[in-house]
Amino acid sequence: MFQTLPSLAALRALEAAVRLGSFKDAAAELSVSPTAISHHVKSLETNLGVALFVRGTRRVTATTAGSQLAEAVNRGLSTIAAAVDDQLEDEKILTVSTTPAFGALWLVPRLRQFQGRFPRYRVQLETDTAPADLARDRRVDIAIRYGAAPAAGLAATPLARETFGAFAAPGYPDTGRGLEDLDFIETGWRQTGLQHIGWSAWFEAAGASDHATTARIRSFEQEHHMVQCGIAGQGLILASTLLVSDLVEQGLLAPYRPEIRLPGLTYTLLTTPEAAASRKCRDFRKWITAELSATDR
């Protein structure tokens, strides 16, 4: 049944061109010329008797047939790559994409534990507020995102449900100071579509909604920048209970009115279905699930 298959080079050219939306980008990824990509695609179209791309003046667009064939090739190549990677005894690179705050405050302090348990893996961490496109960027094995709706075709593992509370450096505020004397710091999400969690909601939960219009509130785009202000004693911060858990344990931050907690969204681990079956992704998923459960307890 395999005798009638087109060449692997042609199938790889098609898959890359459809996934990246460009002959030029596909050529760069495969280290060939754009002319070679065009030749492979034209050869496939001739052999199959169908158009795989609609060619415009400045861009090409995959047809339905091109998209379907490319998706099948992607699944096949990803499965083969994962199987080969599982059999290699050499050091394996595991690329994880996540938010800057989760990476800096929770994941990085624990990576040594993971690599001590799994010395065959070398973790490459990429952080950005914009979610990684796992279907397009095959360098990334795992994405950990906060509050993101899983994209179609990805395997999703819920990791932890978030809550938010007030925290400050020990000794802030001074005994006897009321809310009107305090400074408040929060995060203004750069990523669109996320539920805003600000001090106005905390004031309402605390029965002090009148402070929402008079409180001195500063906002940062990055949560870990806000956390550093809290550690420096610059005010009360409204922060993720998960992300500051280590800092509380170390005595760098202390809860303020810990009975008041605001509900957040969920951290989710995302992979392609093919990557999810690989040993390195299975090992990381099992490890991080256990670590987050321990943090929650």
Side-chain angles (χ1 to χ4, degrees):
M1 61 180 291
F2 300 134
Q3 290 87 342
T4 59
L5 287 177
S7 72
L8 179 59
L11 293 174
R12 290 184 66 199
L14 169 70
E15 187 277 332
V18 172
R19 172 167 47 83
L20 299 174
S22 163
F23 283 8
K24 180 179 178 181
D25 291 346
E29 180 176 285
L30 298 178
S31 299
V32 297
S33 68
T35 301
I37 298 294
S38 179
H39 175 76
H40 282 309
V41 170
K42 188 64 178 178
S43 176
L44 279 174
E45 290 177 323
T46 300
N47 292 337
L48 297 175
V50 296
L52 300 175
F53 285 92
V54 176
R55 294 161 174 80
T57 304
R58 296 186 177 180
R59 59 174 297 178
V60 293
T61 304
T63 64
T64 299
S67 296
Q68 291 176 344
L69 181 56
E71 288 174 8
V73 173
N74 182 287
R75 290 194 300 270
L77 291 175
S78 297
T79 301
I80 293 170
V84 170
D85 193 53
D86 282 349
Q87 300 307 314
L88 294 174
E89 295 300 327
D90 297 339
E91 179 186 61
K92 294 177 172 55
I93 295 176
L94 175 67
T95 302
V96 179
S97 170
T98 190
T99 64
F102 185 85
L105 297 173
W106 193 92
L107 184 55
V108 168
R110 291 168 172 79
L111 279 182
R112 186 175 181 181
Q113 300 173 22
F114 173 76
Q115 295 187 294
R117 184 175 174 184
F118 299 101
R120 65 196 301 230
Y121 303 136
R122 178 162 62 89
V123 178
Q124 289 189 170
L125 187 62
E126 298 187 0
T127 60
D128 201 327
T129 54
D133 186 345
L134 297 181
R136 181 182 175 88
D137 189 352
R138 295 198 300 182
R139 297 176 308 101
V140 178
D141 299 299
I142 289 172
I144 300 171
R145 304 306 303 182
Y146 171 73
L154 296 181
T157 303
L159 295 176
R161 183 77 182 185
E162 185 62 284
T163 62
F164 289 79
F167 298 87
Y172 184 96
D174 297 334
T175 304
R177 294 178 67 185
L179 290 176
E180 66 277 3
D181 299 320
L182 304 180
D183 292 293
F184 302 89
I185 310 170
E186 65 183 21
T187 302
W189 307 119
R190 179 184 297 177
Q191 185 179 341
T192 59
L194 288 182
Q195 165 193 358
H196 175 68
I197 300 174
W199 278 108
S200 58
W202 189 94
F203 291 141
E204 184 176 350
S209 55
D210 54 318
H211 286 284
T213 57
T214 60
R216 300 187 297 271
I217 300 176
R218 285 190 293 157
S219 180
F220 286 85
E221 288 187 345
Q222 297 290 353
E223 194 166 4
H224 54 296
H225 296 164
M226 174 196 64
V227 169
Q228 290 301 318
C229 286
I231 293 173
Q234 295 183 16
L236 285 174
I237 63 172
L238 187 60
S240 154
T241 55
L242 172 66
L243 298 190
V244 301
S245 58
D246 289 349
L247 301 173
V248 171
E249 185 175 345
Q250 295 163 14
L252 296 173
L253 290 173
Y256 176 82
R257 300 284 302 273
E259 74 279 7
I260 302 175
R261 288 288 183 266
L262 303 178
L265 302 177
T266 300
Y267 281 99
T268 303
L269 184 150
L270 302 171
T271 63
T272 63
E274 295 75 27
S278 68
R279 183 186 303 173
K280 63 183 180 182
C281 290
R282 295 198 313 268
D283 288 341
F284 187 86
R285 182 171 59 244
K286 182 178 180 179
W287 171 81
I288 196 172
T289 301
E291 285 292 317
L292 282 166
S293 296
T295 302
D296 185 56
R297 288 195 297 271

